[in-house]
Structures are given as structure tokens and as C-alpha cells.
Amino acid sequence: MARPLLILALAATATTGVLATSALGQARHDSNAPIDFAAQSIDLQDRANRAILSGGVRITQANMTLTAARVTVTYTGQITDGSPSVSRFDASGGVTVTRPDQTARAQYGVYDINRRVITMLGNVTLTQGSNRVSGGRLTINLDTGRASIDGSGVGTTKAPDGSVIKSGGRVTGRFTVPKRD
């Protein structure tokens, strides 16, 4: 029986608005596993070392799945086993990252394969079971399993001329408590 991916541990203070979580007992993500994708279309831009996937994009690596409306795949000029070496995914449009017992949703997402870090931005929600945390930016370190959410970008107010009056925000959420007898 697998332990939950995240054992939610508050490491936040009211001044920083950061929630830290750790994955105790969870195996590290295999970021060396092959990456499979499916999309309605692909636009290869070899001179720019990128490919643009669009239309119901689904990318799978080991036990992690990323879905979005559009993903730009950046690759190096190096060829490994007959394929270009992918270094980064930039996703937009209803981005969802799913791992065992955990789902993260946002407007935008970046998977930096070399650093093994996923960053999600814009109306971020991280759920595990009935626990839910929301904020402006989520960073997941795939080597350590540590996830950090902050309120940056949440609550931005703009003046009629388009300038930013107020920026910042808070992390919000709900943790469930086991029933006691």
C-alpha cells in the first residue's frame, strides 16, 4: 500500500505566505523515463529547436501526466537514441499535473527537465484526497518531492489605465482532520 504522495506539513508563516509540503516515503520521480505525448497537432520548428503541441495535449512520464491545451517543447541540438534531447515544456490553457494521490491545476506550467522542477502559475490549486491548497505559484521539486505554494500574483488589482495598483496575495486552503472516537 503506497503512502500518500504528500504529507502536508505547514512550514508557513503569515508573513511569507508559503506552504511547504514533503513526500515522505514516496519514491523519487523518474525524470529519466521516456516521455510520451499525444495531441491533435504538432508544429515542428527545427531551426528554433522546438515543437508546438496543441489540442488536448497529454504528456506522460513514469507515473506523472501533464495535460494542457498547448505545450511548447524545447529541445537541445543533441540527439539521444535517435531523438532530440528535450529540456523543457511550457504549457498553457487549463494545465493539470497528476501524480499518484496528487493533482495540481493552473493556467500555466513549466517543466524544466534538466532541473527536475515543475512551476505552475495562475490560480493554482493543489489537491490530495480532500485536502486542498490554492495560491498564485506552485513549485514542485521532483527529486525531493517538496512542493511550495505562495500567493504571488494572487489578488492583483489594475487601474483603468492598466497599471498595477496592488499586487500580492495569500495562500488559502482546507485540511481535513481525522474523526476521533
Side-chain angles (χ1 to χ4, degrees):
M1 181 166 154
R3 292 173 116 179
L5 180 62
L6 294 178
I7 296 178
L8 296 170
L10 283 176
T13 65
T15 57
T16 62
V18 175
L19 172 77
T21 58
S22 63
L24 302 176
Q26 180 67 30
R28 186 173 122 176
H29 174 72
D30 183 5
S31 55
N32 292 318
I35 298 170
D36 297 313
F37 73 90
Q40 289 179 351
S41 66
I42 184 170
D43 180 20
L44 296 172
Q45 301 174 353
D46 277 337
R47 289 187 182 174
N49 286 340
R50 71 177 170 224
I52 299 173
L53 305 169
S54 58
V57 180
R58 180 180 179 88
I59 296 172
T60 305
Q61 183 181 40
N63 63 355
M64 181 176 70
T65 302
L66 181 149
T67 59
R70 177 184 164 111
V71 175
T72 299
V73 180
T74 304
Y75 50 91
T76 66
Q78 299 173 347
I79 303 297
T80 305
D81 296 328
S83 298
S85 294
V86 175
S87 60
R88 178 178 167 127
F89 293 115
D90 289 270
S92 62
V95 179
T96 301
V97 174
T98 306
R99 297 181 65 197
D101 299 331
Q102 177 188 43
T103 301
R105 290 185 170 79
Q107 294 171 338
Y108 305 99
V110 176
Y111 177 14
D112 185 328
I113 294 169
N114 296 329
R115 290 181 47 226
R116 293 169 168 79
V117 172
I118 295 174
T119 304
M120 299 180 75
L121 302 164
N123 297 321
V124 174
T125 302
L126 177 64
T127 58
Q128 177 189 0
S130 58
N131 297 318
R132 178 189 45 78
V133 181
S134 298
R137 178 178 54 199
L138 164 67
T139 303
I140 303 170
N141 182 315
L142 296 173
D143 283 341
T144 65
R146 183 179 170 104
S148 177
I149 297 180
D150 66 42
S152 65
V154 177
T156 301
T157 305
K158 292 189 177 185
D161 66 356
S163 62
V164 175
I165 297 172
K166 176 184 169 189
S167 183
R170 298 177 58 85
V171 175
T172 61
R174 174 171 286 202
F175 298 112
T176 57
V177 178
K179 301 234 186 251
R180 295 183 184 191
D181 292 334

